[in-house]
Amino acid sequence: MLYIIGLGLGDEQDITLKGLEAVKKCHKVYMEAYTSLLSFGLSTNGISNLEKLYGKPIILADREMVEEKAHEILAQAHHDHVAFLVVGDPFGATTHSDLVVRAKNMGIDVKIVHNASVMNAIGICGLQLYRYGETVSIPFFTETWRPDSFYEKIQRNRLMGLHTLCLLDIRVKEPTLESLCRGKKAYEPPRYMTINTAIEQLLEIMQDREESAYTEDTECVGLARLGSEDQIIVAGTMKQLQLIDFGAPLHCLVIAGNTHPVEEEMLDFYRCRT
């Protein structure tokens, strides 16, 4: 059996009872470590806390392992119970759907254990979940690469009066350009996009457009370390949020569409007063 188990968003205690029971059955436990991170996963003792709770070692599965060596994980699931741990919910990233398809094609039984993810926890800011449009991902700009395909999605959402959840780039174990040229593995330091950087890039893209989907005065909500004890939620204009230090990763941003009076009442609890 291959168990794909959601861990939730905060710390080791956010796993469900069903998920914990499944982990304890498993011979091997892998933890996906590139589409997201538990808030405590950035600390030095994050993994050891999980291992203490589970009573067994955890194998970190980076992008390279999942994309190039998934067959090894699946081969083990032919003979033993194998757990694949995912931050948030198992289907928060398409990579995990691909793993399910491959497992089923190999005749391996798959069991999913769901949990909270950013896609539903974002509701804490007060903007109602059914009033969101398409979610977008904002990647880091480089000197030679400034992708802006997400702009049209934000624009469509705004035209329909819908909110937009912006997931911000996480770059973990990314190969350096030099290593790709030389064929030797070397990796960039981990980088996590801040709300401030995301807004800077969004405003840069907006300047090149004839019809702006948003401006520096558009209302947004910045959220940091969603689901953890020290989460931060601030509502304000892009211009206001750009001046706030949201602290450690992970960050995400919501660009508000048309708001209902009840949504406005909730946003008032988080409103930036500067």
Side-chain angles (χ1 to χ4, degrees):
M1 176 81 74
L2 174 66
Y3 289 91
I4 304 183
I5 301 167
L7 295 181
L9 295 170
D11 58 25
E12 68 275 6
Q13 296 179 46
D14 282 357
I15 192 170
T16 63
L17 290 174
K18 188 180 290 185
L20 183 58
E21 185 179 275
V23 169
K24 291 189 172 181
K25 289 180 187 175
C26 291
H27 179 68
K28 292 273 189 180
V29 180
Y30 293 88
M31 182 171 176
E32 187 265 6
Y34 61 90
T35 63
S36 189
L37 293 168
L38 283 170
S39 296
F40 76 93
L42 300 169
S43 66
T44 54
N45 62 346
I47 297 302
S48 65
N49 286 345
L50 283 176
E51 291 179 329
K52 285 176 189 174
L53 178 62
Y54 302 158
K56 54 187 63 182
I58 294 172
I59 303 163
L60 282 181
D62 57 23
R63 185 186 300 274
E64 189 175 284
M65 175 181 286
V66 176
E67 293 183 353
E68 298 178 14
K69 300 180 181 178
H71 61 281
E72 295 179 12
I73 298 172
L74 296 175
Q76 293 167 1
H78 257 308
H79 309 289
D80 291 300
H81 291 320
V82 173
F84 189 78
L85 310 180
V86 177
V87 176
D89 185 80
F91 292 115
T94 53
T95 299
H96 310 131
S97 297
D98 179 65
L99 195 63
V100 171
V101 170
R102 292 177 66 173
K104 288 183 177 290
N105 285 338
M106 292 172 65
I108 297 167
D109 288 333
V110 179
K111 185 163 186 179
I112 306 298
V113 183
H114 292 286
N115 209 320
S117 78
V118 65
M119 304 298 284
N120 56 16
I122 199 71
I124 192 172
C125 74
L127 297 176
Q128 296 164 2
L129 293 179
Y130 67 89
R131 295 172 60 86
Y132 279 78
E134 187 172 357
T135 298
V136 303
S137 296
I138 301 180
F140 278 112
F141 283 177
T142 69
E143 290 182 9
T144 57
W145 189 60
R146 279 171 157 65
D148 60 2
S149 58
F150 52 83
Y151 181 88
E152 282 72 23
K153 296 176 183 178
I154 297 172
Q155 190 170 44
R156 285 197 297 270
N157 288 345
R158 296 272 294 165
L159 287 170
M160 292 185 286
L162 302 175
H163 315 309
T164 305
L165 171 60
C166 303
L167 303 177
L168 310 188
D169 203 359
I170 298 171
R171 298 185 66 82
V172 178
K173 207 172 179 184
E174 295 286 338
T176 63
L177 183 59
E178 184 180 5
S179 73
L180 290 173
C181 295
R182 294 187 176 184
K184 293 183 179 179
K185 290 185 179 178
Y187 302 99
E188 297 175 357
R191 296 174 68 201
Y192 309 96
M193 185 180 286
T194 63
I195 290 162
N196 319 76
T197 298
I199 291 173
E200 180 184 330
Q201 293 187 182
L202 284 164
L203 292 176
E204 181 181 322
I205 290 171
M206 177 268 293
Q207 291 171 359
D208 298 328
R209 304 293 172 135
E210 291 181 8
E211 294 184 13
S212 299
Y214 48 80
T215 70
E216 64 178 11
D217 295 317
T218 296
E219 185 163 55
C220 296
V221 184
L223 303 98
R225 299 173 301 286
L226 187 60
S228 66
E229 291 293 326
D230 66 342
Q231 68 181 11
I232 292 178
I233 305 170
V234 183
T237 65
M238 285 192 177
K239 182 167 55 178
Q240 289 173 320
L241 297 188
Q242 208 169 9
L243 300 176
I244 293 172
D245 179 2
F246 284 87
L250 297 173
H251 295 187
C252 62
L253 177 72
V254 177
I255 302 172
N258 297 339
T259 50
H260 184 277
V262 175
E263 291 177 305
E264 286 290 337
E265 287 180 347
M266 277 289 287
L267 286 176
D268 279 342
F269 290 115
Y270 305 115
R271 194 84 62 188
C272 179
R273 303 302 176 188
T274 57

